[in-house]
C-alpha cells in the first residue's frame, strides 16, 4: 500500500428537489453576486434554470448569467466569463450542467482570481494559487468534475484540449438530483456511464502496489455502473438506476478509487483528449473507441490486473492461460460498450483519421504529457501511433 492524501471537501446534496436549495447554499458560502453559468439550452428547456433563479431570488442573491457552454468547452467563452465576472463584481460561480459547464466555471474562477492569461494554467506556464468559489447543479452523470480537482478546456484558436489539476477549483457544493438526468438523450447517458467507468479503470490499471480495500471499492463501483447502464438502456426513467450511476460518477473521480495505489495510467484519457480536440467528439464515446486498442497493446505488462478485472468485474471464469482470461475480459468489456450503444473503434465513432492526422494526435499526446504517458507501460510516440492505428 502506498502513502496517499485523500482530500474531498465538496458538500454533496443528493436527491429529489435538491436544486431548490441553491440560494441557501450560496448564502452559506457567503456569496453575494453570482455568475449563473450553463450550457446550450437543456437546463432552460427543462425548467431547471427557472427553479434556480427563483431559489436565488428568494435568498436575496443577485446574479448575472452566461450560457452557451458547449461540450469540449471553449476558451473563448471562458475569457468572456472572466470579463463579465470582473465587470459585475461576481464573487461566486454557480455551474448548472455537466462536466463542460463545471470545467468552464473552474477556468473562469482561475482567470478572475489571478488575472493575466488563463490559458497559462493549461499550458504549463503557471500553477494555480486560488480560484473563485464554485457550486454545481449536476445535470449529467459523467465527468465527475463536481468532485474532481480537474478542469479540461479546449483552446479554440489552437485546437488544443488541455487539463489542469489543483485543489483550489474543488467545488464547494454539488447538488445532485438524479431526476435532472431524465431528459438526457440515451447516447449521452451511455457516454456518461462509459466515462465514469473509465475514471476508475484508469486508476485500477497501474503498475505498482495496490490496496485491497481500494480494489474492492473500485470493483464494486465498476460492477454497479455496468449493471445500471444496461438497465438504463431499457428503462431510461428508472430513478434508482440513475441515482446509482450519478453517485458512482462522483466517487469514481474524487480520488477514492485511487487511494493507496501507485497512481493511474490515464493513457486512454489522453488519447481521447487529442481526438476530442481534433474531431470534437463526445468524451465518453471517444474513450470507448480507443480503450480496447490500448488494453490489448499494454495488457501483457500487467497481466495480473487485467485478469483480476476480467474475473472480478466482468465475471469471466479463469482460463488455463492467464493471457486468455485477460483477453476475454477485454472482449467482454467491448461487448458491454456495444450493448449500451458505444463505439469500439474510431470508425464506429464516426471519424477516419489519416496517417498524418494520427501522427499529429501522437505529437500532441507527447507534448501535453511532456512525454510521460502511461503507468501500466510507458508509451512513446511510436506506441501511440500503433494504438491509434489499431483503433481504426
Ligand atoms: O449544453 P446542454 O444543452 O445542456 O446539452 C448538454 C451537452 O450537449 C447535454 N446535457 C447535459 N445535461 C442534460 C443534457 N441534455 C439533456 N438533459 C440534461 N439533463 O449533454 C451534452 C454533454 O454535456 P457535457 O457537460 O459536455 O458532458 P460531460 O459531463 O460528459 O462533460 C464532458 C467534458 O468534461 C471533460 C471532458 O473532456 C469534456 O470536455 N472531462 C472533465 C473532467 C473533470 N473536470 O474532472 C474529467 C473527465 O475525464 C473529462 O475529461
Ligand atoms: Zn473522463
Amino acid at each position: 500500500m502506498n502513502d496517499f492524501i485523500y482530500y474531498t471537501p465538496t458538500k454533496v446534496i443528493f436527491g429529489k428537489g435538491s436544486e431548490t436549495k441553491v440560494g441557501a447554499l450560496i448564502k452559506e458560502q457567503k456569496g453575494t453576486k453570482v455568475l449563473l453559468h450553463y450550457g446550450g439550452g437543456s437546463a432552460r428547456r427543462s425548467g431547471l434554470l427557472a427553479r434556480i433563479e427563483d431559489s436565488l431570488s428568494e435568498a436575496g442573491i443577485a446574479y448575472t448569467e452566461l450560457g452557451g457552454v458547449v461540450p469540449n468547452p471553449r476558451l473563448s467563452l471562458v475569457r468572456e466569463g472572466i470579463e463579465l465576472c470582473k465587470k459585475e463584481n461576481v464573487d461566486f460561480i454557480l455551474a448548472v450542467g455537466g462536466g463542460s459547464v463545471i470545467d468552464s466555471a473552474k477556468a473562469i474562477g482561475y482567470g478572475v482570481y489571478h488575472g493575466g492569461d488563463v490559458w497559462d494554467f493549461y499550458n504549463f506556464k503557471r500553477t494555480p494559487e486560488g480560484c473563485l468559489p464554485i457550486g454545481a447543479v449536476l445535470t449529467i452523470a459523467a465527468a465527475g468534475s463536481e468532485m474532481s480537482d480537474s478542469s479540461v478546456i479546449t483552446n479554440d484558436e489552437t485546437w488544443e484540449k488541455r487539463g489542469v489539476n489543483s485543489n483550489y477549483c474543488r467545488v464547494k457544493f454539488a447538488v445532485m438530483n438524479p431526476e435532472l438526468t431524465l431528459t438526457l438523450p440515451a447516447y449521452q447517458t451511455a457516454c456518461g456511464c462509459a466515462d465514469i467507468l473509465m475514471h476508475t479503470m484508469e486508476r485500477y490499471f497501474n503498475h505498482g502496489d495496490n490496496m485491497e480495500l481500494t480494489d474492492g471499492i473500485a470493483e464494486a463501483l465498476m460492477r454497479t455502473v455496468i449493471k445500471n447502464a444496461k438497465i438504463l438502456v431499457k428503462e431510461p426513467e428508472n430513478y434508482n438506476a440513475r441515482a446509482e450511476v450519478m453517485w458512482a460518477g462522483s466517487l469514481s473521480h474524487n480520488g477514492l478509487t485511487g487511494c493507496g495505489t501507485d497512481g493511474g495510467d490515464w493513457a486512454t484519457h489522453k488519447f481521447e483528449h487529442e481526438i476530442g480536440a481534433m474531431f470534437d467528439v463526445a468524451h465518453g464515446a471517444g474513450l470507448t473507441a480507443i480503450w480496447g486498442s490500448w488494453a490489448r497493446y499494454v495488457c501483457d505488462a500487467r497481466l495480473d490486473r487485467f485478469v483480476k478485472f476480467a474475473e472480478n468485474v466482468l465475471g469471466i471464469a479463469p482460463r488455463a492461460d492467464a493471457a486468455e482470461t485477460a483477453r476475454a475480459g477485454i472482449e467482454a468489456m467491448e461487448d458491454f460498450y456495444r450493448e449500451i450503444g458505444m463505439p469500439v473503434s474510431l470508425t464506429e465513432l464516426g471519424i477516419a483519421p489519416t496517417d498524418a492526422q494520427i501522427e499529429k494526435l501522437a505529437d500532441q499526446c507527447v507534448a501535453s504529457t511532456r512525454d510521460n504517458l502511461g503507468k501500466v507501460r510507458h508509451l512513446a510516440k511510436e506506441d501511440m501511433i500503433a494504438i491509434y492505428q489499431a483503433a481504426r
Side-chain angles (χ1 to χ4, degrees), residues 38-43 45-46 48 68-73 96-103 106 138-146 148-154 161 179-185 188 191-192 195 199 253 266 269 272-273 282-284 287:
Y38 53 91
S42 72
R45 281 193 300 279
S46 67
L48 171 63
V69 179
V70 294
N72 298 319
V96 180
S100 295
V101 176
I102 301 170
D103 285 4
K106 289 173 174 177
L138 191 64
T139 64
I140 172 172
S145 185
E146 69 279 4
S148 83
D149 66 351
S150 171
S151 161
V152 185
I153 296 295
T154 295
K161 183 174 172 179
E179 284 185 329
L180 299 180
T181 67
L182 287 170
T183 50
L184 277 169
Q188 287 296 341
C191 282
D195 192 21
H199 292 152
H253 206 28
W266 299 103
H269 263 77
E272 188 291 324
H273 282 177
H283 173 62
L287 293 171

Side-chain angles (χ1 to χ4, degrees), residues 104-160:
S104 182
K106 289 173 174 177
I108 293 171
Y110 284 139
V112 174
Y113 185 90
H114 296 90
D117 184 3
V118 69
W119 188 246
D120 287 352
F121 298 110
Y122 295 80
N123 220 5
F124 303 120
K125 289 196 183 139
R126 283 194 289 167
T127 306
E129 290 169 10
C131 185
L132 225 55
I134 297 165
V137 177
L138 191 64
T139 64
I140 172 172
S145 185
E146 69 279 4
M147 285 186 90
S148 83
D149 66 351
S150 171
S151 161
V152 185
I153 296 295
T154 295
N155 184 329
D156 39 350
E157 286 159 18
T158 60
W159 296 105
E160 294 165 295

Side-chain angles (χ1 to χ4, degrees), residues 75-244:
L75 179 61
S76 52
L77 192 75
V78 168
R79 294 199 200 285
E80 210 182 301
I82 293 167
E83 289 317 309
L84 182 62
C85 285
K86 286 184 187 159
K87 188 170 138 241
E88 298 279 337
N89 290 320
V90 164
D91 57 14
F92 194 94
I93 307 176
L94 183 64
V96 180
S100 295
V101 176
I102 301 170
D103 285 4
S104 182
K106 289 173 174 177
I108 293 171
Y110 284 139
V112 174
Y113 185 90
H114 296 90
D117 184 3
V118 69
W119 188 246
D120 287 352
F121 298 110
Y122 295 80
N123 220 5
F124 303 120
K125 289 196 183 139
R126 283 194 289 167
T127 306
E129 290 169 10
C131 185
L132 225 55
I134 297 165
V137 177
L138 191 64
T139 64
I140 172 172
S145 185
E146 69 279 4
M147 285 186 90
S148 83
D149 66 351
S150 171
S151 161
V152 185
I153 296 295
T154 295
N155 184 329
D156 39 350
E157 286 159 18
T158 60
W159 296 105
E160 294 165 295
K161 183 174 172 179
R162 297 278 184 270
V164 63
N165 296 60
S166 92
N167 281 323
Y168 297 112
C169 76
R170 298 242 191 206
V171 165
K172 301 289 176 201
F173 65 79
V175 166
M176 294 187 220
N177 174 0
E179 284 185 329
L180 299 180
T181 67
L182 287 170
T183 50
L184 277 169
Y187 184 73
Q188 287 296 341
T189 298
C191 282
C193 291
D195 192 21
I196 292 167
L197 280 162
M198 201 63 73
H199 292 152
T200 290
M201 288 156 70
E202 296 276 27
R203 291 175 166 92
Y204 190 82
F205 295 111
N206 54 51
H207 203 93
D209 283 349
N210 283 287
M211 186 172 158
E212 189 180 325
L213 178 59
T214 297
D215 276 353
I217 293 170
E219 288 163 1
L221 187 147
M222 292 187 276
R223 286 194 302 267
T224 302
V225 176
I226 290 171
K227 177 181 162 193
N228 288 286
K230 289 181 190 173
I231 292 175
L232 287 174
V233 171
K234 297 200 175 87
E235 302 168 35
E237 306 213 331
N238 186 316
Y239 176 85
N240 285 333
R242 292 223 171 253
E244 296 282 358

